[in-house]
Amino acid sequence: MKIINFGSINIDHVYSVDHFVRPGETLSSKNYTVFSGGKGANQSIALARANADVIHVGNIGLDGVWLKEKMEKEGIDIHLIKTVKAPTGHAVIQVNSEGENAIIIHGGANETFKPSDIKKALKTANAGDIVLLQNEINAVDKILKYTKDKDLKVVFNPAPMTDAVKDYPLELVDVFIINETEGEALSGEKKPEKIIKAMSKLYPKSAVVLTLGKKGVIYSEDKTVIKVDALKVKAVDTTGAGDTFIGYFLAELSRGIRIEKCLKTAVKASSICVTKKGAADSIPIIG
Ligand code: RIB
């Protein structure tokens, strides 16, 4: 079973700071590094490092050819990554002394998906394949619509959350992978247990994976609820931890592994990710 990931590809400009810049403040960074990133590309790299069969569908500009080459070296099928006449998407990321981040993104080439690209990519899908989506490209609603009536498992990570998400045909999603912010925006609830309950009511046919950072993760599907604790680690940079979780979770799921084991492996991988700097570069390979 393969995973077709329609996702963003970004150049991450990462600045180490003592605190996030305040309104009106000019702040010198302690360190500046350029990394490969983008929620979509990070998730494809995590999938590949977890030994999954992944096709990435995405767009870059001429300045992003190195990202495509890097993804190919990871073992990702890149034949559906197009070079377009727009700058590659990028992110400006501040990482503070606690390892937390604050991110601004510019979509660039990530916002140039056309219906014909989507249809072409979906032609590569076979029954039972997984379609993975984040919310960092245009046309997410169209991709969801085009998956209708195809025998595919649709996994949606609504990150970054926007007002438009609620208008997407979310009833077509088989698995939501959300954090507390996204859960609150979708369900109107703040507490994890309440988010889970509200999501099951709103989307009774979908499974929900609610990631809780240091507090672990909750999985819910029908009447099954599984909780897995996080591992205790010293965080240096949390960027890409969610993407690592998703890649490892789906790689295990695509191999038919039972859910609790999928969650445990994904928690382990994302815990290791936060101990290193960068997004894609901090995704571990674990046995
Ligand atoms: O999830 C982390 C990613 O978010 C970064 O790599 C950055 O590109 C933004 O998309």
Side-chain angles (χ1 to χ4, degrees):
M1 180 191 296
K2 67 180 173 301
I3 296 144
I4 304 168
N5 183 11
F6 290 83
S8 59
I9 303 172
N10 285 345
I11 299 172
D12 286 357
H13 298 271
V14 181
Y15 303 85
S16 301
V17 291
D18 284 326
H19 62 266
F20 298 144
V21 68
R22 299 181 182 114
E25 183 183 24
T26 300
L27 185 66
S28 271
S29 64
K30 296 195 293 188
N31 188 45
Y32 165 70
T33 317
V34 175
F35 287 110
S36 70
K39 293 182 195 305
N42 296 341
Q43 291 179 23
S44 281
I45 290 176
L47 281 159
R49 291 193 182 174
N51 273 321
D53 184 3
V54 54
I55 299 181
H56 191 98
V57 191
N59 296 326
I60 50 167
L62 278 173
D63 55 338
V65 173
W66 64 277
L67 297 165
K68 178 169 146 178
E69 288 168 359
K70 180 177 170 129
M71 290 169 77
E72 186 173 27
K73 276 191 199 135
E74 294 282 347
I76 296 163
D77 181 335
I78 52 137
H79 83 279
L80 293 172
I81 298 180
K82 264 190 5 187
T83 306
V84 298
K85 278 190 194 146
T88 301
H90 75 259
V92 172
I93 306 181
Q94 300 174 61
V95 178
N96 71 11
S97 44
E98 311 291 301
E100 297 164 325
N101 62 43
I103 305 181
I104 299 174
I105 51 167
H106 175 71
N110 295 318
E111 303 282 343
T112 63
F113 275 74
K114 295 199 183 92
S116 53
D117 302 330
I118 302 165
K119 286 181 183 155
K120 182 178 167 195
L122 285 175
K123 277 197 186 137
T124 65
N126 298 315
D129 283 347
I130 294 174
V131 167
L132 171 61
L133 295 165
Q134 312 77 29
N135 195 35
E136 222 170 39
I137 57 168
N138 69 309
V140 172
D141 52 344
K142 279 207 178 65
I143 301 170
L144 284 170
K145 277 182 204 142
Y146 293 167
T147 63
K148 197 173 177 217
D149 300 329
K150 292 192 195 288
D151 188 10
L152 300 169
K153 196 188 248 306
V154 179
V155 180
F156 182 39
N157 167 224
M161 190 68 191
T162 55
D163 291 342
V165 170
K166 280 197 167 174
D167 297 326
Y168 295 170
L170 297 179
E171 68 285 355
L172 299 173
V173 173
D174 295 295
V175 184
F176 287 94
I177 306 185
I178 52 178
N179 63 18
E180 285 166 284
T181 310
E182 293 142 12
E184 183 182 345
L186 286 174
S187 70
E189 296 290 350
K190 275 190 165 46
K191 291 193 175 151
E193 283 71 18
K194 289 199 168 171
I195 293 174
I196 290 284
K197 250 196 187 158
M199 287 293 290
S200 331
K201 259 200 182 156
L202 285 167
Y203 309 105
K205 291 190 191 138
S206 319
V208 177
V209 182
L210 176 63
T211 59
L212 304 168
K214 285 178 197 160
K215 292 172 282 168
V217 57
I218 307 178
Y219 175 91
S220 151
E221 182 177 19
D222 207 2
K223 292 199 166 52
T224 306
V225 175
I226 302 169
K227 292 183 188 175
V228 170
D229 288 335
L231 304 180
K232 283 202 178 86
V233 288
K234 165 115 185 67
V236 171
D237 180 359
T238 54
T239 315
D243 300 328
T244 304
F245 177 93
I246 291 169
Y248 268 87
F249 175 74
L250 288 184
E252 292 282 80
L253 197 70
S254 72
R255 291 189 274 267
I257 309 280
R258 67 189 167 86
I259 296 290
E260 191 170 354
K261 173 93 183 357
C262 298
L263 294 169
K264 283 187 173 161
T265 307
V267 162
K268 184 175 172 190
S270 57
S271 305
I272 297 171
C273 167
V274 304
T275 63
K276 293 192 188 120
K277 285 189 183 171
D281 290 304
S282 63
I283 298 167
I285 295 177
I286 59 173

